[in-house]
Amino acid sequence: MADLKAHAERLRELHRGEMLVLPNAWDAASAATVVEAGFPVVATASAAVSAMLGHPDGEGAPWQEMFAAAARIARAVSVPVTVDAEAGYGMGPRELVDRLLETGAVGCNLEDTDHTSGGLTDAHAHAEWLAAVRSAADDAGVPIVINARVDTFTGSGGIPEHDRLPEAIRRGSLYRDAGADCIYPIGVRDKDTIATLVKELGCPINGNASDDLDLATLRAVGVARVSYGPRFYRAALAGFLSGIKELLP
């Protein structure tokens, strides 16, 4: 437990300094490769882990399989591990925290999509749940780093495009005040929008690197953390496909 606490504190510290770059892993081998390359943290991507396990994203994989994969990743490395825990798999706050700590993870993504309806959860109810997760982590003695994902830009909930930014700010503010360490407005693709979120929320923001938002741009606007989701998993498969096609007559 002391090691987990130290890893959690290190992960939180890395959100406050130089921008934390997270090329997401999907299994023990890819996690070890991330560390070998020199990155100080391993983050998982649920889309990649689910696909590797043969299930669709969006809580399509049983949580037992997802957490078992996370445990194998954590055992393979000696750095902090943060897990994409999707929407929490219907677990209560204390169970979720206990399961995460059992895997060896000290951080988690928690999204505000309701995978039953396909829409967004009620923001106030989700904030209360995040606050309970924060409290459960405190009770467990490990300050788990909560990366609260805001899904307004994904099109979930049918929010009109012109309302997505103000709704993201509203939701992000609630989640920040509930105890989230970082806010993750997934799907933002333009500089002005991510810069506005950094300014308005005043807390660490997780951005996505893309062709339109490179690392230099994200760093310039003050993004604290950058993730890649399943990009490198898909690139690995594309490389595999290209290589084996050369074997065909």
Side-chain angles (χ1 to χ4, degrees):
M1 193 64 74
D3 288 343
L4 290 175
K5 183 178 180 181
H7 274 182
E9 291 171 346
R10 176 60 176 155
L11 178 58
R12 176 169 287 106
E13 176 188 336
L14 288 168
H15 285 72
R16 301 289 180 180
E18 180 68 17
M19 188 171 71
L20 177 60
V21 179
L22 300 171
N24 302 75
W26 56 91
D27 61 10
S30 59
T33 301
V34 168
V35 175
E36 182 181 357
F39 292 91
V41 172
V42 169
T44 71
S46 66
V49 176
S50 296
M52 180 268 296
L53 293 170
H55 299 282
D57 192 21
E59 299 196 348
W63 69 262
Q64 294 91 336
E65 293 189 38
M66 296 294 285
F67 279 41
R72 290 191 291 271
I73 287 169
R75 287 195 299 268
V77 299
S78 59
V79 301
V81 172
T82 180
V83 170
D84 184 349
E86 303 187 84
Y89 306 106
M91 295 181 184
R94 187 54 197 254
E95 182 184 6
L96 176 62
V97 167
D98 288 346
R99 298 293 186 188
L100 284 168
L101 294 178
E102 286 171 3
T103 71
V106 294
C108 59
N109 286 7
L110 293 171
E111 61 201 41
D112 60 0
T113 289
D114 180 343
H115 291 291
T116 301
S117 68
L120 297 177
T121 59
D122 176 80
H124 287 279
H126 191 65
E128 291 177 1
W129 183 74
L130 290 174
V133 174
R134 172 86 284 143
S135 179
D138 292 343
D139 290 345
V142 178
I144 286 173
V145 175
I146 300 172
N147 190 34
R149 207 179 89 175
V150 178
D151 288 358
T152 59
F153 296 99
T154 66
S156 296
I159 299 171
E161 190 168 348
H162 64 273
D163 290 334
R164 291 176 184 177
L165 176 56
E167 179 63 8
I169 293 170
R170 184 181 78 88
R171 286 174 173 268
S173 298
L174 288 169
Y175 305 162
R176 176 201 63 204
D177 294 346
D181 301 281
C182 185
I183 303 300
Y184 180 13
I186 191 171
V188 174
R189 294 289 183 266
D190 67 280
K191 177 181 177 181
D192 290 344
T193 299
I194 197 71
T196 299
L197 287 160
V198 170
K199 179 181 178 181
E200 293 294 329
L201 292 175
C203 67
I205 299 296
N206 189 144
N208 290 121
S210 65
D211 292 340
D212 299 317
L213 284 176
D214 59 19
L215 290 180
T217 300
L218 291 167
R219 185 178 289 109
V221 301
V223 165
R225 165 175 169 161
V226 179
S227 51
Y228 289 81
R231 179 187 299 188
F232 292 108
Y233 167 76
R234 291 169 179 165
L237 285 185
F240 178 53
L241 178 61
S242 176
I244 62 176
K245 277 187 173 180
E246 295 179 3
L247 305 178
L248 295 172

